[in-house]
Amino acid sequence: MRAGSFSKLVPDRENTTQVTFYYVEGQAETFTIPMPARDFQEEVVNLLSQPWLTFHLNDQTVFICTSRVVKVEIKPAIPELQGQGIFPNSQRVTTMQRGAAGRLAMDT
């Protein structure tokens, strides 16, 4: 991270990865990690196999129980991940897209 105006820390997008954890209870938490996505890719499978993850923040330390995590989102995308159970070129379908399918007849 680099210092911006008024001493706020501004993440360097090329050298940081944003990770969002979604928990069984329905809550979500997002963290910015000072590591390029390509480097994070090498760690992600090993990290998720750990029973606990630890994030040291400026003002606190956060422990995450990985058995309570149901989904993880990573930005930017890591298209280099390949193998069984990985679906390249996927797209998310939103509720609006799903609801509009077949309802907007176009007569020409």
Side-chain angles (χ1 to χ4, degrees), residues 15-35:
N15 295 314
T16 59
T17 302
Q18 181 178 309
V19 182
T20 303
F21 296 97
Y22 294 87
Y23 303 105
V24 175
E25 298 84 11
Q27 298 170 317
E29 263 185 311
T30 301
F31 298 91
T32 300
I33 301 171
M35 169 185 289

